[in-house]
Amino acid sequence: METTLRGVGVSHGVAIGEVRHMGTAVLEPPAKQIPPEDAEREQGRARKAVEAVAADLMARGNLAGGEAQAVLEAQAMMAQDPELMADVERRIAVGSTAERAVYDAFAAYRELLAGAGEYLAGRVADLDDVRNRIVARLLGVPMPGVPDSDEPYVLVARDLAPADTALLDPTLVLGFVTEEGGPTSHSAILARALGVPAVVALPGAGELAEGTVVAVDGSTGDVFVEPSAQKRAELEAAAAERKAALAASTGPGATADGHKVPLLANVGGPSDVPAAVEAGAEGVGLFRTEFLFLDDSKQAPSEEKQVAAYRQVLEAFPEGRVVVRVLDAGADKPLDFLTPADEPNPALGVRGLRTLLDHPDVLRTQLTALAKAAEGLPVYLEVMAPMVADRADAKAFADACREAGLRAKFGAMVEIPSAALRARSILQEVEFLSLGTNDLAQYTFAADRQVGAVSRLQDPWQPALLDLVALSAEAAKAEGKSCGVCGEAASDPLLACVLTGLGVTSLSMGSASIPYVRATLAKYTLAQCERAAAAARATDSADEARCAAQAVLSGE
């Protein structure tokens, strides 16, 4: 009998297939004691297992490239955390086996993170995956992970670790469903990059029986269990219609009446550029530069290394716009040489621009490298700072750009509510704004973007978030400047229309989403988008906002 479950759709498309569950997690090792003379040998085993897992994660990252590489390199750093390793060795010294010491040390680490404000506790899937891989290696059992199957299937899991998501084979994994996670979790972002339909935060996903046929609609968040022939036909027809619309939609982003809305790509490094070009991106709206700094958490990359990497991306978009975000270190992206290790709540501490202003040499080197990378190229370079809180922050960044001789537009990211509320003040110092809706939602609602239990508050359709977007766009218009969106909100085609109606001047997203957004925008006029935006803001919940916008655009 057909039943319908509702989660959060995070990656467009429809997948119909049999359920296959993620491999069983590693069991808890027995708590047996070892004689003192075995301690050194066990410590050696633990160190070798940690290094092997870290190397495997790095190798997976190199294979995957782009967004996935940065995530997996961060996970490898987690495995090699010196304090965590020291705790493992201490536990072995008092009689624990290597596997039990690892298991207990990670448990203690999780408690420590929760006590530090729970920001990093949202990385539970990442942390558990590292632990499971180390323990599995020590026990000599198969790694937990994606099931082996010769036939295509829908993958179901409590959550997906980045190491698994990054290397999913789209020819076998038709789509995936998770019980945990949120719209801006690592798995959701990587699913969009892969173009695999996905639904997260689905209550009871783990109870779906192996082999059950499900239909996953990654656009609506609906999962149909044992769908009828009629429902299958409806979904397949909708998918075919969507595919035809995508194929017919080409060229620059614009509404039906010709209002231009440049569609840009979010890239995490040079390896993401080919997909962006293929999708018809009109430039880059968010070039994340952390990938260079995660290669070696002990020191910043040289100016020469940075110049070479930046130039690769700039050269790919002649006459196009490339917006570079300077290093966003801190919180969930700690770097040993930059970020303090003992902050009580890293999310609310020294992060982003605050970190760079504390280390002006690192900022100066990056800005100088960007200036050199752009020399002689016909690209429109723009550089923005993350986590700008007020006008003083914006001025400090603009001053640093000028001192480095950077011939580019300087901008500020709006990720903190204060920046949206005082956007006009900030625009006295910089030339554009870029809304990072992932963090803006997180800070507006005090809801960690990695915690599935608060996913409704991470929904970019929340009217309060739309209000902050509108404030920023109105301030930019009043100052004759631009205001783009580079958060995951831009990848939702319906929401892209609403953002356009709010006055946003460009949209940047994962490359796989560009065709969907382009095709949807082309169906509606600017006036329709404005009416949809007003209707969405007049509601009191994300679901109501989505329905109100849909009703306006469908002519109901």
Side-chain angles (χ1 to χ4, degrees):
M1 180 179 174
E2 179 182 313
T3 57
T4 305
L5 305 175
R6 170 62 66 85
V8 179
V10 295
S11 185
H12 306 297
V14 171
I16 301 175
E18 292 187 0
V19 165
R20 294 285 183 275
H21 284 272
M22 188 64 120
T24 306
V26 176
L27 297 175
E28 180 177 349
K32 62 182 182 182
Q33 290 291 106
I34 60 168
E37 59 269 22
D38 288 349
E40 188 174 342
R41 177 176 59 82
E42 289 294 289
Q43 289 170 341
R45 286 181 64 229
R47 284 191 295 270
K48 284 180 181 177
V50 165
E51 292 304 319
V53 166
D56 178 62
L57 290 168
M58 292 291 284
R60 285 168 177 257
N62 289 334
L63 280 173
E67 297 261 15
Q69 185 168 6
V71 171
L72 292 174
E73 286 176 349
Q75 216 180 352
M77 288 166 55
M78 184 186 293
Q80 295 173 301
D81 182 279
E83 291 188 14
L84 193 53
M85 195 62 226
D87 188 23
V88 169
E89 294 189 346
R90 279 195 297 271
R91 292 173 187 275
I92 293 172
V94 294
S96 284
T97 61
E99 47 269 30
R100 185 70 206 192
V102 167
Y103 189 91
D104 290 341
F106 270 81
Y109 191 37
R110 290 178 70 185
E111 288 182 16
L112 179 64
L113 293 176
E118 298 196 25
Y119 181 85
L120 294 179
R123 305 291 187 199
V124 166
D126 303 35
L127 191 64
D128 286 353
D129 184 56
V130 172
R131 177 204 65 198
N132 290 348
R133 290 174 185 278
I134 297 171
V135 172
R137 185 169 289 274
L138 287 165
L139 291 174
V141 299
M143 293 285 180
V146 178
D148 290 327
S149 176
D150 295 329
E151 298 296 324
Y153 59 91
V154 173
L155 180 62
V156 176
R158 185 183 65 80
D159 204 345
L160 282 173
D164 295 316
T165 315
L167 297 182
L168 288 179
D169 182 351
T171 63
L172 283 177
V173 181
L174 301 171
F176 67 74
V177 177
T178 67
E179 194 159 350
E180 298 294 329
T184 58
S185 64
H186 282 155
S187 293
I189 292 170
L190 294 177
R192 284 188 285 270
L194 286 166
V196 176
V199 171
V200 302
L202 183 79
E207 296 171 15
L208 291 169
E210 189 87 0
T212 302
V213 175
V214 295
V216 179
D217 189 331
S219 300
T220 65
D222 289 328
V223 174
F224 303 94
V225 183
E226 300 290 1
S228 64
Q230 180 181 348
K231 176 58 69 177
R232 288 195 193 205
E234 288 175 5
L235 291 170
E236 287 167 352
E241 183 181 340
R242 190 179 296 148
K243 187 175 181 180
L246 294 180
S249 176
T250 57
T255 58
D257 55 339
H259 174 73
K260 292 183 178 179
V261 187
L263 302 181
L264 312 170
N266 295 342
V267 303
S271 61
D272 286 346
V273 168
V277 173
E278 184 179 350
E282 298 168 59
V284 173
L286 172 61
F287 179 10
R288 302 180 179 93
T289 57
E290 288 76 38
F291 74 101
L292 279 168
F293 293 80
L294 289 170
D295 280 349
D296 183 354
S297 68
K298 305 296 182 186
Q299 60 183 358
S302 68
E303 181 181 300
E304 293 73 19
K305 182 176 181 179
Q306 292 189 55
V307 170
Y310 302 150
R311 196 169 179 90
Q312 273 186 273
V313 176
L314 297 178
E315 286 176 337
F317 295 95
E319 307 294 336
R321 176 185 178 201
V322 176
V323 185
V324 180
R325 181 181 71 190
V326 294
L327 175 65
D328 183 13
D332 61 332
K333 296 184 284 283
L335 293 170
D336 292 346
F337 69 96
L338 280 185
T339 49
D342 56 352
E343 284 190 302
N345 191 336
L348 303 180
V350 182
R351 177 190 171 187
L353 180 61
R354 299 168 187 175
T355 302
L356 293 174
L357 294 179
D358 279 353
H359 298 83
D361 53 325
V362 174
L363 177 59
R364 189 181 309 111
T365 299
Q366 185 169 26
L367 294 174
T368 302
L370 284 164
K372 290 183 177 180
E375 283 178 4
L377 296 179
V379 69
Y380 295 96
L381 175 64
E382 301 184 11
V383 182
M384 61 185 182
M387 302 299 291
V388 171
D390 56 15
R391 182 172 179 173
D393 277 353
K395 182 178 188 305
F397 178 66
D399 287 346
C401 289
R402 282 187 283 267
E403 288 169 12
L406 191 61
R407 299 172 66 85
K409 284 188 176 181
F410 317 140
M413 290 197 72
V414 178
E415 301 165 286
I416 302 173
S418 63
L421 294 168
R422 301 289 295 172
R424 199 158 182 182
S425 170
I426 287 172
L427 284 165
Q428 304 310 303
E429 305 293 343
V430 295
E431 297 170 84
F432 69 93
L433 300 176
S434 184
L435 287 141
T437 52
N438 303 349
D439 270 321
L440 185 58
Q442 175 169 254
Y443 289 118
T444 298
F445 297 104
D448 192 315
R449 55 192 279 192
Q450 298 297 323
V451 178
V454 292
S455 62
R456 75 173 186 85
L457 297 172
Q458 301 152 358
D459 192 325
W461 281 94
Q462 284 284 356
L465 188 66
L466 298 181
D467 288 344
L468 293 175
V469 173
L471 277 175
S472 304
E474 288 162 5
K477 184 177 181 180
E479 293 296 328
K481 297 178 178 179
S482 63
C483 176
V485 167
C486 65
E488 293 301 314
S491 65
D492 179 335
L494 182 62
L495 185 51
C497 295
V498 167
L499 295 173
T500 299
L502 292 174
V504 166
T505 55
S506 66
L507 299 167
S508 189
M509 64 208 77
S511 299
S513 297
I514 291 175
Y516 290 93
V517 173
R518 182 192 292 119
T520 305
L521 267 179
K523 291 163 59 176
Y524 306 109
T525 64
L526 177 59
Q528 286 177 297
C529 293
E530 289 171 342
R531 288 197 296 273
R537 288 184 69 191
T539 64
D540 293 313
S541 73
D543 286 341
E544 290 174 3
R546 189 182 287 106
C547 290
Q550 182 67 69
V552 169
L553 293 178
S554 61
E556 295 177 8

